[in-house]
Amino acid sequence: MTTLIYWFRNDLRLHDNLALHAACNKATRLLPVYCHDHRDDNVVEWGFRRVGPHRKHFLASALADLRSQLRTHGSRLLEIYGEPRQMLFELAQLVGATGIVCDDVAAPEEQDEVQALIESGLNVEPIWQSSLLSLAELPFTIDGMPDIFTTFRQLVEAARTFPHPPMLERVRLPPLPTLASALSSRTINTSPLVAVDPRSSFPYHAPSFWGGENAGLAHLDRYFDLRLAHSYKLTRNNLTGTDYSTKFSPWLAQGAISPRTVYAALQNFEEEHGANEGTYWVWFELLWRDYFRFLHLKYGRKLYRATGLSEKPLPSHDADAFLRWRRGVTGEPLVDAGMRELAATGYLSNRLRQVVASYLVHELQCDWRAGAAWFESQLIDYDPYSNQGTGYISVAAVPIHAGEGV
């Protein structure tokens, strides 16, 4: 008998989940787990909590959806609270698990947690699955990947490197370990944590914008049913509204929908209604998302240095100016409007993200890492790859969150 733990991370779904399928195929008993890292409540060096209420609420609705789905499959989600390296080790000892299977996340802190578990003696198998394109079929090695996105895209398209179709097989979950039913589960609050402005471009308090797989898949269907993809390139840089961009990014960031599922829906749409610049640009933005992931595989924690990959001097920082920027009281109307929208809704259009980030670094002369940390705290579609990777491609490492486009 093989008892395994499946550690849900940024893959809160049952469909097209390669790591979960692998765990189910190997285990005779499987315990699905989500670990709430208490360090998310810590105050970072810039003076605010690492994860704010918008992100917490959106996560809560996704976990509620995941719990419900696991129950329909005869299983359950155990939610634990603490540092993964400690809590998962203790849990494995308790239920007699011989190993852990999980989504492979190439960001430094996430890699450190896996390494710590391995060093504790556990067999941990991280499985890469968050990119649209398969690593094995890229027309270059990760070490040889172009550092410029345009070159990356051109090589991918010239080689006709396209995604595999999503897995259609329904997951078959093994039974829970014997002790699992006796374990208590700590869940985070699912009631509204903040009052969300009704003008939000992503009103996550409304059922159609809840986190989780069901709402994400329903939104995917709605977007293509309304044929919004045909006008995507024309509208994607608008500032407010629910339909000017795809709004896939919050669900993609959670892993509630997979990028391969998005691409398959795009292909079906093009076959039925025709392709144009708008539909191409959805593919274009999905490639940007992959590029930031592969950039992490190539450079890892170097992307998190104060100077990024450059040899420039350390960035300056004005704490008072940063606080004014964060509160939306710089005196620059467009910047202040964007920052207040972010604080009120946990969301901001791609174009406004670029505007406020550039203003922070170039006009206020602040450390780009402070801005990246504020985005991490506030954005419901926070993704470590996009949030950090864009610093590399921007002048003076400005943290522009380009991944919002999808």
Side-chain angles (χ1 to χ4, degrees):
M1 179 179 295
T2 302
T3 299
L4 296 177
I5 290 172
Y6 187 77
W7 177 19
F8 280 101
R9 303 175 88 189
N10 296 336
D11 60 328
L12 305 182
R13 66 180 186 274
L14 301 188
H15 81 276
D16 195 34
N17 190 324
L18 305 179
L20 180 59
H21 273 269
C24 291
N25 289 336
K26 294 177 180 181
T28 50
R29 294 190 180 274
L30 183 72
L31 179 58
V33 174
Y34 185 86
C35 186
H36 298 278
D37 194 328
H38 66 80
R39 291 169 296 185
D40 289 344
D41 291 324
N42 290 350
V43 175
V44 299
E45 63 180 298
W46 313 104
F48 48 85
R49 291 189 186 277
R50 180 166 191 175
V51 177
H54 296 297
R55 281 188 61 195
K56 286 186 176 182
H57 181 74
F58 194 59
L59 171 65
S61 60
L63 291 175
D65 180 78
L66 182 59
R67 285 196 300 272
S68 175
Q69 293 205 64
L70 287 170
R71 282 197 300 268
T72 66
H73 285 74
S75 187
R76 63 173 287 198
L77 179 67
L78 178 67
E79 296 179 60
I80 55 180
Y81 185 82
E83 292 188 36
R85 64 182 68 189
Q86 175 187 351
M87 300 304 297
L88 289 169
F89 174 78
E90 293 176 358
L91 182 62
Q93 302 301 307
L94 183 62
V95 302
T98 57
I100 297 173
V101 181
C102 63
D103 179 33
D104 189 6
V105 183
E109 290 184 4
E110 287 82 352
Q111 292 282 303
D112 289 346
E113 290 301 313
V114 168
Q115 186 58 37
L117 286 166
I118 293 172
E119 290 174 0
S120 73
L122 279 175
N123 178 26
V124 183
E125 184 181 5
I127 296 178
W128 182 262
Q129 61 173 350
S130 70
S131 60
L132 177 66
L133 302 176
S134 166
L135 291 173
E137 296 183 4
L138 291 174
F140 38 72
T141 64
I142 286 297
D143 288 342
M145 187 189 90
D147 290 342
I148 299 172
F149 170 73
T150 299
T151 308
F152 162 83
R153 175 183 59 81
Q154 289 171 342
L155 288 175
V156 165
E157 292 180 336
R160 299 188 62 77
T161 306
F162 295 113
H164 291 291
M167 296 178 66
L168 298 180
E169 180 187 353
R170 287 175 59 86
V171 65
R172 296 179 181 274
L173 291 165
L176 293 163
T178 305
L179 287 176
S181 59
L183 297 174
S184 61
S185 180
R186 181 193 186 278
T187 62
I188 59 178
N189 187 10
T190 57
S191 61
L193 301 173
V194 288
V196 181
D197 193 301
R199 297 170 293 176
S200 173
S201 293
F202 195 96
Y204 65 79
H205 58 288
S208 57
F209 287 89
W210 283 349
E213 182 174 14
N214 280 320
L217 292 174
H219 177 80
L220 187 68
D221 289 342
R222 171 188 171 275
Y223 182 80
F224 287 112
D225 286 346
L226 293 177
R227 303 191 185 186
L228 295 172
H230 276 156
S231 58
Y232 173 67
K233 189 172 186 293
L234 296 174
T235 63
R236 61 178 294 274
N237 284 322
N238 290 354
L239 302 184
T240 61
T242 57
D243 292 337
Y244 67 80
S245 65
T246 69
K247 300 301 189 297
F248 299 155
S249 63
W251 289 292
L252 283 168
Q254 288 182 333
I257 56 176
S258 79
R260 300 196 306 182
T261 299
V262 173
Y263 183 73
L266 174 66
Q267 280 189 305
N268 291 338
F269 176 83
E270 289 182 327
E271 289 173 4
E272 185 174 355
H273 303 291
N276 70 353
E277 271 196 317
T279 59
Y280 171 78
W281 223 254
V282 176
W283 153 258
F284 182 92
E285 292 291 352
L286 288 169
L287 279 185
W288 263 114
R289 183 177 179 276
D290 266 17
Y291 168 75
F292 290 133
R293 278 158 168 72
F294 301 150
L295 201 65
H296 268 67
L297 290 174
K298 182 176 181 179
Y299 289 114
R301 63 187 72 238
K302 289 181 180 179
L303 295 169
Y304 292 73
R305 301 187 309 179
T307 58
L309 301 180
S310 76
E311 300 303 324
K312 295 179 179 180
L314 289 173
S316 60
H317 188 65
D318 182 332
D320 290 337
F322 175 65
L323 184 59
R324 295 196 306 272
W325 176 82
R326 189 157 62 87
R327 292 177 174 174
V329 290
T330 66
E332 185 63 47
L334 183 59
V335 172
D336 291 347
M339 297 308 296
R340 292 175 187 179
E341 180 182 351
L342 176 60
T345 70
Y347 193 82
L348 200 60
S349 69
N350 182 55
R351 183 58 62 199
L352 269 180
R353 295 182 200 200
Q354 295 181 43
V355 169
V356 300
S358 296
Y359 188 83
L360 175 71
V361 173
H362 295 296
E363 300 300 324
L364 299 182
Q365 297 295 302
C366 289
D367 191 324
W368 71 272
R369 295 171 300 168
W374 184 242
F375 279 7
E376 178 180 354
S377 176
Q378 297 299 303
L379 287 169
I380 58 171
D381 62 350
Y382 166 73
D383 174 351
Y385 301 110
S386 296
N387 203 55
Q388 208 72 23
T390 44
Y392 162 70
I393 62 159
S394 306
V395 177
V398 181
I400 300 170
H401 196 283
E404 187 278 332
V406 292

